[in-house]
Amino acid sequence: MAQALEIARWDLECEFNNTDHRTELNGVEQLIVRRGQPFTINLHLRSGEYQPGGSALNLTVETGPQPSDQYGTRASFGLTDQIDTSRWSAAVTSPPGYMVSLSICSPPDAPIGRWRLTLGQGGLVEFVLLYNPWCTGDVVYMDSEEKLTEYVLAQDGIIFRGSWKYLIPTPWNFGQFEDGILEACLRILEMNPKCLRNPGKDASGRKNPIYVSRVLSAMVNCNDDKGVLLGRWTDDYDGGVSPLSWKGSVEILRNWDTNACQPVRFGQCWVFAAVACSVSRALGIPCRVVTNYNSAHDTNSNLVIERYVDENGQLVQKSRDMIWNYHCWVENWMTRPDLKPGFDGWQAMDPTPQEKSEGVYCCGPIPLKAIKEGELTYKYDAPFVFAEVNADVHTFMKHKDGTTKKIISSVQVGLKISTKSVGSDRREDITHLYKYPEGSDEEREAFTKANHQNKLLQQQENAGLLIAIKVSAEMRKGCDFDVFAVVTNNTPNGKKCRLVFGSRAVSYNGILGENCGFKDLLNVALAPGEEKRVPLRMNYSKYAENLTEDNLIRLAALLLDYGTREAYLAVRNVVLENPEIKVRILGEPKENRKLAAEITLQNPLPVPLQNCCFTVEGSNLTGGQIITEKLNSTVEPGQDAKVKIYFTPTHSGQRKLVVDFDSNKLCHVKGYRNVIIGK
C-alpha cells in the first residue's frame, strides 16, 4: 500500500511559475497561473522520501464559498504518471528523494478566480487562476503571439476621440499588472449582484468568458450595483473629477477598491471602455477599445434616429434618440459555442450605461459577425449595437406653429470604426468587420435580415440644390479662423434662397451648448450651375467661454428654397486642436535606474495661463503612482510651460509616459512619449 507523503514545508516557486504563465508583471509574491497549463510546487518532506508507486498524495482544489464537484468548483485527485491537461491532475517530475517537484495542471475550462489547494493532510495553498489565451483548449485562445502581446500584455494604448473628420489619438495607461489591480478586478467579480445572490453558481459561471464579459459590462458602471464608475454627461463635476482628467485605469480601480466599492466619479464612454479593457486583460481575455464615429443611440429599437431642428437649423430636443460624435466600447476575443459555427472571434461589449439588457445596464457580448450579417436575434443585444453603426437618420424641421416637415439632410452613422494597430500607435480601421460596403448586395442582404426597411427603401434624394460645409486647414484653439457654407445650384433654373449658418459648442455625445457665431442671409441668388462659398468667422473671443472640454463646435447650414419650400441641412462637427506636449527623455533609459524627462507646452492662447499643472503616469515607469508638478508662475501667450520630472523604470521593454496638462484656460491637454527601457 502506498505511503502518504508527510510534508514539512513547500515552495510555490512564484517567480518561475508566474514568469512561465506570463503573469510576473503582477509581482512574484503570490502564485498567479493560467488554466490549462501546468505549474510547479516543490514539497520538502518531513520524513522518508518519495518513491514512485510507493508514495501517495491526495490533493483537493476549491473555489468560491460553495465548492462543488458537479459545478466544476471543486476537484479531488491523486498522483498520476503524467499530467492530463484536460482535467485537474498532478504528477511528480523529480527523482526519488526528500524533495518532491510536483507538477499540477487545471483543465482549460476551469473557473477563474481565487483557488485553494489542499496538499494531503496539512498543507493549504492559495493561488489565482486566470484565462489562458495561449492555451489551444481555452475558449479565449488566440493564435498570434504579436496580437497576444498587444491585446493581453500591453499595459498602455491609444483610444481614438475627436470627430470622424479629425481623429484624436489619446494615450491611456491600462495598467492591468500594476500593484493591487488584479485584486481589484477579482473583487469586481465578487461584488457583482449575481455572485451576491448565488455565489456557488456565479463561481461556476466564471469558467465562461461570455458570462464574465457580461458581468464586467454591468459592473464597470454603477447603475445597478456596487460598480466602478458613475457616468456624468454634463459640465457639473462637483463631488468628483471631469472624465477628461483620467489618464489611465489604475487610479480609478484603486479608488474603487480602497473606498469600500463606492463608485468613482466620473466616467464617460472612453473611460468606461478603457477600464473594462484593463479588467478583461488582467483576467486573461484578449481585449481592445474601439471607437465608432457618428454613433447612433436608438432608444426605441426602430433603427431610425429622428432629429428635429428649428427654423435656424439648430437642434431641438424632442426625442431621446441621439447621434454621438463618437462612442467607445470594447471587443473581447472568444469562441461562441452557444451560437451556430462562424461567430467566434471578436465580440462587442459596452460598459457605458445606455439602455437596459435583461433588466440591467449592460450590453453584449455580441459577435461582430452577427452585426455585419444582420443577425439581430443572436445574444446579446444585437439590435442596439446594429443600430449604433447602421441606423437611418431622419431630420425634421419644427416650425413655430408646431408643425413639422421632413428636410433633406445627409447624415451617416457608423463611420471610421477605429482601434489601435497591433504593435504600433497607428489607427486600424475595422469598419469592415461591422458593415459591408455601402450599396453592396451583401449590405442589402444584411439589412433584409435585420428588417431595416428604411435603408432598403431609401432613395437618393437630390433636388438639384446641394449644401456642404468646408473648413480651414488648421483650426487651433486660441486662433480665429473661417468656416464655409458651400451652396451649389445644379438645376437649369435660377434659385433664390435663404441661408442660415450657425455654430454652437457641443459635447461629444451631442448635447448642444451656447452660440459661437451666426449668420442669416435672406437673399442668396444662385444662377444655374453656380457655386457660392459663404464664410463664417469663428473668433476666439466668442467661442472661448462657450467651448466644452471636448473642444467641439457644431456647424449647421440650413438652405431654404423660396420656390419649392424645400429645406436642405448640412451639419459638421469640428474639433479645435490643442497644442502639442513635448516630452524629452534625459539620459539612457535603464531598468531600475532613475531617469528624468523634460515636459514642455507652449501657450497658444492670446491670454495668460494660470494654475498650470502637469500630471504624469506610466505602467512600470512611475511606480504605479501619479507624478504631479505645478507651476507657480503665469505662462504668458507664446511662452512655454516647462517642468522636469524624475521616475525609475522597473521593467524593460517599451512603455508609454502619459502626460496631462491643466490650467485655468486650457484644460486636459494630453500627450505621451514611448520610452524604450533597456535591461
Side-chain angles (χ1 to χ4, degrees):
M1 184 175 173
Q3 189 74 28
L5 294 175
E6 291 188 37
I7 302 167
R9 58 187 177 86
W10 53 86
D11 184 352
L12 298 183
E13 298 290 343
C14 291
E15 185 167 358
F16 170 80
N17 285 316
N18 290 10
T19 302
D20 192 43
H21 286 247
R22 299 173 177 87
T23 64
E24 76 281 1
L25 288 176
N26 286 298
V28 292
E29 293 74 37
Q30 63 173 333
L31 182 60
I32 305 167
V33 293
R34 299 187 185 275
R35 62 188 194 175
Q37 180 179 339
F39 59 94
T40 300
I41 295 178
N42 289 330
L43 308 178
H44 299 270
L45 303 182
R46 179 174 286 112
S47 61
E49 60 179 51
Y50 168 74
Q51 292 294 336
S55 303
L57 180 65
N58 293 319
L59 301 98
T60 302
V61 286
E62 297 178 328
T63 186
Q66 300 163 0
S68 152
D69 293 73
Q70 180 186 353
Y71 292 117
T73 51
R74 182 184 186 279
S76 295
F77 51 101
L79 299 178
T80 52
D81 291 339
Q82 57 185 27
I83 285 292
D84 180 350
T85 56
S86 68
R87 61 183 181 87
W88 283 102
S89 60
V92 174
T93 57
S94 57
Y98 300 104
M99 194 278 286
V100 178
S101 192
L102 192 63
S103 183
I104 301 171
C105 191
S106 63
D109 62 350
I112 63 154
R114 305 178 204 272
W115 283 81
R116 303 172 296 281
L117 166 64
T118 305
L119 301 164
Q121 297 299 310
L124 181 64
V125 170
E126 294 186 344
F127 64 97
V128 173
L129 190 67
L130 302 177
Y131 293 112
N132 192 353
W134 286 268
C135 172
T136 54
D138 198 315
V139 292
V140 300
Y141 172 68
M142 186 176 250
D143 65 355
S144 162
E145 195 64 43
E146 194 182 16
K147 289 180 180 177
L148 286 162
T149 299
E150 180 69 52
Y151 298 135
V152 181
L153 299 180
Q155 293 196 78
D156 47 50
I158 296 291
I159 298 172
F160 291 93
R161 297 175 49 250
S163 75
W164 75 275
K165 291 272 194 181
Y166 185 77
L167 290 73
I168 298 176
T170 304
W172 191 269
N173 178 32
F174 295 113
Q176 68 268 29
F177 300 124
E178 291 283 19
D179 187 40
I181 296 306
L182 180 57
E183 290 296 310
C185 295
L186 294 173
R187 194 173 186 190
I188 288 171
L189 298 182
E190 291 156 5
M191 293 304 296
N192 99 77
K194 292 178 180 178
C195 180
L196 299 177
R197 277 196 303 270
N198 190 336
K201 186 179 178 184
D202 175 78
S204 176
R206 293 180 197 172
K207 67 179 66 171
N208 186 349
I210 303 169
Y211 175 83
V212 169
S213 293
R214 197 146 171 81
V215 165
L216 295 184
S217 172
M219 280 295 293
V220 170
N221 71 70
C222 67
N223 287 42
D224 313 282
D225 42 47
K226 284 185 169 290
V228 177
L229 276 161
L230 178 63
R232 179 152 296 178
W233 284 268
T234 66
D235 283 339
D236 176 17
Y237 300 122
D238 284 350
V241 298
S242 159
L244 276 166
S245 69
W246 304 114
K247 296 171 292 304
S249 308
V250 175
E251 187 181 8
I252 294 169
L253 288 166
R254 280 189 183 148
N255 285 353
W256 177 81
D257 190 38
T258 57
N259 288 300
C261 305
Q262 292 299 305
V264 177
R265 301 163 185 255
F266 294 100
Q268 289 175 3
C269 71
W270 73 94
V271 185
F272 286 107
V275 170
C277 183
S278 296
V279 179
S280 295
R281 290 182 183 182
L283 298 178
I285 303 173
C287 184
R288 63 187 185 185
V289 177
V290 303
T291 304
N292 177 41
Y293 288 95
N294 281 15
S295 189
H297 182 166
D298 178 22
T299 58
N300 57 6
S301 303
N302 67 348
L303 299 177
V304 176
I305 303 297
E306 295 184 344
R307 306 202 306 175
Y308 294 83
V309 298
D310 61 21
E311 291 174 345
N312 290 326
Q314 296 299 331
L315 274 178
V316 290
Q317 213 62 47
K318 191 175 176 179
S319 162
R320 282 185 61 226
D321 288 355
M322 301 281 286
I323 298 175
W324 291 28
N325 209 49
Y326 64 87
H327 181 52
C328 299
W329 57 76
V330 296
E331 294 170 2
N332 283 357
W333 179 272
M334 66 193 74
T335 61
R336 289 299 297 263
D338 58 322
L339 303 176
K340 70 180 185 183
F343 291 86
D344 299 339
W346 289 118
Q347 316 283 318
M349 185 264 277
D350 191 349
T352 300
Q354 296 180 91
E355 299 295 320
K356 286 192 173 184
S357 171
E358 297 180 341
V360 176
Y361 279 101
C362 65
C363 180
I366 179 71
L368 270 55
K369 183 80 177 293
I371 302 304
K372 186 171 183 174
E373 300 294 343
E375 297 282 5
L376 301 197
T377 60
Y378 282 22
K379 290 184 175 180
Y380 290 89
D381 309 306
F384 187 79
V385 181
F386 183 87
E388 286 183 304
V389 299
N390 283 311
D392 199 11
V393 183
H394 292 178
T395 307
F396 299 87
M397 181 183 288
K398 186 179 180 186
H399 296 285
K400 287 176 182 170
D401 62 6
T403 59
T404 59
K405 183 183 178 183
K406 191 174 180 182
I407 62 176
I408 298 168
S409 176
S410 58
V411 177
Q412 285 181 293
V413 304
L415 301 174
K416 288 189 178 176
I417 305 174
S418 304
T419 192
K420 177 188 175 295
S421 291
V422 173
S424 88
D425 290 339
R426 290 191 301 272
R427 181 182 77 93
E428 180 183 351
D429 193 304
I430 56 171
T431 309
H432 64 283
L433 298 181
Y434 285 84
K435 307 165 77 165
Y436 283 107
E438 192 142 333
S440 66
D441 291 343
E442 295 92 340
E443 183 198 46
R444 290 188 67 81
E445 195 177 321
F447 286 162
T448 302
K449 259 189 225 167
N451 197 27
H452 196 359
Q453 298 300 331
N454 288 291
K455 282 281 190 184
L456 290 168
L457 298 174
Q458 200 174 53
Q459 299 297 315
Q460 188 58 43
E461 299 171 276
N462 187 350
L465 276 178
L466 295 177
I467 185 161
I469 295 172
K470 304 290 184 186
V471 299
S472 305
E474 289 190 345
M475 294 174 289
R476 298 182 187 278
K477 191 171 183 180
C479 296
D480 299 341
F481 57 91
D482 287 320
V483 293
F484 303 90
V486 181
V487 185
T488 310
N489 179 11
N490 287 329
T491 73
N493 306 312
K495 290 282 186 182
K496 284 202 172 152
C497 305
R498 177 187 177 192
L499 174 66
V500 183
F501 194 10
S503 62
R504 288 174 71 176
V506 65
S507 62
Y508 87 97
N509 64 327
I511 303 296
L512 288 174
E514 295 301 314
N515 172 39
C516 297
F518 183 78
K519 182 176 280 188
D520 189 354
L521 303 178
L522 295 175
N523 293 298
V524 178
L526 293 163
E530 184 181 4
E531 176 183 290
K532 279 191 175 174
R533 290 168 69 91
V534 178
L536 179 65
R537 189 70 170 166
M538 306 299 299
N539 293 307
Y540 175 77
S541 59
K542 185 73 185 280
Y543 69 71
E545 297 304 318
N546 295 332
L547 274 186
T548 69
E549 291 182 329
D550 298 306
N551 279 1
L552 285 166
I553 295 176
R554 180 183 184 270
L555 307 172
L558 180 68
L559 189 68
L560 298 161
D561 183 340
Y562 287 130
T564 65
R565 309 303 298 168
E566 289 288 354
Y568 306 81
L569 179 68
V571 175
R572 181 165 176 176
N573 288 348
V574 297
V575 186
L576 302 193
E577 197 177 340
N578 271 326
E580 179 188 4
I581 293 177
K582 295 179 179 176
V583 182
R584 190 162 68 98
I585 303 299
L586 308 176
E588 186 183 0
K590 290 269 192 181
E591 207 174 273
N592 299 314
R593 181 194 290 177
K594 194 173 184 180
L595 194 60
E598 183 183 82
I599 304 173
T600 311
L601 175 142
Q602 187 180 63
N603 178 9
L605 306 185
V607 294
L609 298 180
Q610 297 171 334
N611 306 320
C612 298
C613 179
F614 288 94
T615 52
V616 183
E617 68 175 283
S619 289
N620 306 133
L621 292 177
T622 59
Q625 305 301 315
I626 293 172
I627 299 171
T628 302
E629 285 290 338
K630 296 181 179 179
L631 276 71
N632 296 320
S633 57
T634 297
V635 180
E636 297 296 333
Q639 283 190 348
D640 286 345
K642 185 184 290 188
V643 295
K644 189 183 284 187
I645 60 129
Y646 297 90
F647 57 99
T648 304
T650 54
H651 292 84
S652 60
Q654 181 172 293
R655 303 284 185 258
K656 272 186 177 57
L657 196 66
V658 181
V659 184
D660 178 272
F661 174 82
D662 204 15
S663 69
N664 63 327
K665 296 289 185 181
L666 203 57
C667 300
H668 305 306
V669 180
K670 306 292 183 189
Y672 72 97
R673 171 72 182 264
N674 288 325
V675 185
I676 299 174
I677 310 299
K679 287 276 188 188

